Amino acid sequence: MSFDQPGSGEERPTSGAQRWVPGGHDEPAPFAHAEQPGQGSQGEPREMGAAGSPDREADKEGLLESAYDVRERRPPVPEGHDASEHETAAGSDVDPTHALPAQGNAQSAGERSEARGSRVSVVDEQPPRPEPPDGASADEYQFHTYKVYPSGRPDTVEFIDVYKAFGRARILRGLNMGLPEGMVSMILGPSGTGKSVCIKHMVGLLYPDRGDVLVHGESVPNMADEQLFEMRKKFGLLFQDGALFGSMNLFDNVAFPLRQHTEKGEDEIEDIVMRRLNEVGLGDAREKMPNELSGGMRKRAGFARALVLEPDIVLFDEPDSGLDPVRTALLGELILEIHRDMMDDAKAKGKEHLPTFAVITHDIMSARRVADYINVLWRGRIVEAGPAEDMLNSENPFIRQFLAGESQGPLSMD
């Protein structure tokens, strides 16, 4: 069963695609489904061969063979006619009487290539490197490669050139970031770099000074209040300390969203709450007050409360904060287990969207255990982003230093 993302806006291309055509011209590719020689089998970008290299010459030879493999079958040029008027290949769907000179018009060349089902490969080129933000030097962003390795999924949440400042403190400075649908994504980065600010933008508690934030293809800043309140029901949020109401017992804390946002009866509410409490191992603690719970229990209670509305998106704001290594590992396993259960449930029920988890953290071990996809945020922009395997093996000096927890490298105490 397919779970495609219904985008209310137009799809934005992430990079330009060009093709090499005989005559040495580059022009926009008329299609984007061919194999990309500039990309590995897993979507990993690689450097194209330099002009004159064996790889480059082999590419040209293959392209020429693809484009002109029917040259021998062309009809002879009538006497007195110019050969350029008969460039259309035999067997093409294009009428030879409408053929244009091969080097006279780039658009017509692309049309002829598309009409005859050209096998010219498409090269997915890296977009131009963005300029540093106003007031920042190029040296400050020298380690931002802006590489985004493909996830193979549509983005549930997308930040598009987002800027946000609080007075003189510039937090987000041209952020472009996506959270792929149906995956456990992590936003990693040093303290104070804007990770928690991203969460507040997703749910409409903050609006960008410039740029846009999309949730399932819809612009959050442009939503009317009624639409915004309804959109927020798609989210479940686990706060850093659990954020339980001190005057309510555990059961009432977890039941609060159901009583606030639904018309369900108490019997149904009890079934839902107890199912979630049992999932996080707190079924026997329903009558306890928050001050009777350990830090790990409060985290799990907050997790249960975040799940009772069956959200499409669950956000975790530093869930490992204040936990010892063992309980941090157990919480990570719980996150993965709940995500797998929600994925199975969404597929069984034929839901429109697959569950997406986003974890804000700077705990590297959690990232290694839990993450499917990693965004590395620094100085208000993404350094690199991609599947966890690509990020954990990145050659970027900043990412290597951060993931290894080393003192030597681009990141300092400044």
Side-chain angles (χ1 to χ4, degrees):
M1 180 175 295
S2 173
F3 296 88
D4 296 328
Q5 177 188 15
S8 61
E10 296 179 356
E11 293 185 3
R12 290 166 299 281
T14 57
S15 61
Q18 290 187 335
R19 67 185 183 88
W20 185 88
V21 296
H25 299 285
D26 287 334
E27 67 180 33
F31 56 94
H33 61 271
E35 180 183 357
Q36 299 182 5
Q39 212 170 14
S41 60
Q42 299 299 322
E44 181 177 353
R46 65 175 177 86
E47 294 293 330
M48 295 299 295
S53 68
D55 287 346
R56 180 67 171 169
E57 296 303 322
D59 287 344
K60 287 186 178 181
E61 182 179 354
L63 293 173
L64 287 170
E65 181 181 358
S66 298
Y68 297 112
D69 59 357
V70 293
R71 176 174 292 176
E72 292 79 3
R73 301 198 299 273
R74 293 183 180 179
V77 178
E79 193 172 4
H81 288 249
D82 185 73
S84 64
E85 297 176 3
H86 297 267
E87 282 295 319
T88 303
S92 169
D93 293 332
V94 180
D95 188 342
T97 61
H98 296 287
L100 297 175
Q103 299 180 6
N105 187 306
Q107 183 177 3
S108 63
E111 292 171 351
R112 292 197 303 276
S113 174
E114 185 173 18
R116 67 173 175 255
S118 170
R119 290 174 287 167
V120 177
S121 297
V122 175
V123 177
D124 188 10
E125 297 184 345
Q126 287 291 323
R129 181 180 179 83
E131 293 294 324
D134 294 340
S137 67
D139 287 344
E140 292 181 69
Y141 288 84
Q142 62 179 308
F143 299 104
H144 287 66
T145 65
Y146 305 106
K147 286 183 180 178
V148 178
Y149 296 79
S151 66
R153 304 275 183 92
D155 287 334
T156 296
V157 179
E158 187 175 4
F159 287 74
I160 304 173
D161 203 27
V162 172
Y163 287 79
K164 184 64 181 179
F166 300 97
R168 295 183 179 180
R170 300 173 181 176
I171 308 302
L172 304 181
R173 311 184 72 179
L175 175 63
N176 290 282
M177 179 179 72
L179 302 179
E181 182 172 303
M183 302 180 82
V184 179
S185 296
M186 281 204 167
I187 303 176
L188 293 177
S191 299
T193 198
K195 301 186 297 297
S196 296
V197 172
C198 290
I199 284 183
K200 295 179 180 179
H201 278 79
M202 294 180 206
V203 297
L205 293 176
L206 290 175
Y207 294 122
D209 299 332
R210 287 162 49 192
D212 202 1
V213 180
L214 305 181
V215 174
H216 289 146
E218 298 186 14
S219 172
V220 174
N222 293 325
M223 289 181 179
D225 286 347
E226 183 177 349
Q227 187 182 9
L228 179 63
F229 297 151
E230 193 65 28
M231 183 275 295
R232 285 175 177 166
K233 295 179 184 178
K234 295 181 176 184
F235 286 88
L237 177 58
L238 173 57
F239 297 90
Q240 289 189 22
D241 59 353
L244 301 179
F245 297 108
S247 60
M248 297 181 184
N249 63 24
L250 184 57
F251 180 91
D252 289 335
N253 264 285
V254 177
F256 183 83
L258 293 170
R259 292 169 175 163
Q260 185 76 15
H261 298 294
T262 73
E263 301 295 329
K264 299 181 183 297
E266 282 300 314
D267 290 342
E268 188 177 1
I269 288 176
E270 182 169 4
D271 290 341
I272 295 172
V273 171
M274 291 309 300
R275 175 164 59 90
R276 293 305 185 185
L277 285 177
N278 286 324
E279 285 177 344
V280 299
L282 294 175
D284 296 331
R286 57 175 291 171
E287 299 298 333
K288 290 189 175 182
M289 302 299 288
N291 60 1
E292 299 178 280
L293 304 176
S294 67
M297 294 174 74
R298 286 196 296 270
K299 297 273 189 181
R300 287 183 281 152
F303 193 4
R305 185 177 60 185
L307 299 174
V308 292
L309 291 178
E310 297 188 355
D312 293 325
I313 308 162
V314 183
L315 307 176
F316 302 82
D317 190 4
E318 299 195 12
D320 43 44
S321 175
L323 297 183
D324 61 73
V326 174
R327 286 177 173 81
T328 297
L330 292 173
L331 181 62
E333 290 183 4
L334 180 61
I335 290 173
L336 288 178
E337 181 181 347
I338 297 295
H339 184 260
R340 283 194 297 266
D341 291 344
M342 291 180 66
M343 286 284 286
D344 293 340
D345 184 63
K347 293 176 182 179
K349 293 181 178 179
K351 289 187 176 181
E352 185 177 10
H353 300 290
L354 293 173
T356 301
F357 283 14
V359 183
I360 306 289
T361 187
H362 42 65
D363 183 75
I364 307 308
M365 292 307 298
S366 294
R368 294 182 183 275
R369 293 190 192 101
V370 176
D372 297 320
Y373 192 89
I374 296 176
N375 288 280
V376 181
L377 180 63
W378 187 33
R379 291 177 172 163
R381 289 186 174 184
I382 290 297
V383 179
E384 288 184 7
E389 183 178 357
D390 292 312
M391 291 297 96
L392 295 173
N393 294 295
S394 174
E395 295 297 325
N396 185 293
F398 171 80
I399 296 177
R400 290 178 64 88
Q401 178 197 8
F402 189 79
L403 295 182
E406 296 176 349
S407 60
Q408 301 297 319
L411 182 61
S412 64
M413 293 292 288
D414 297 337

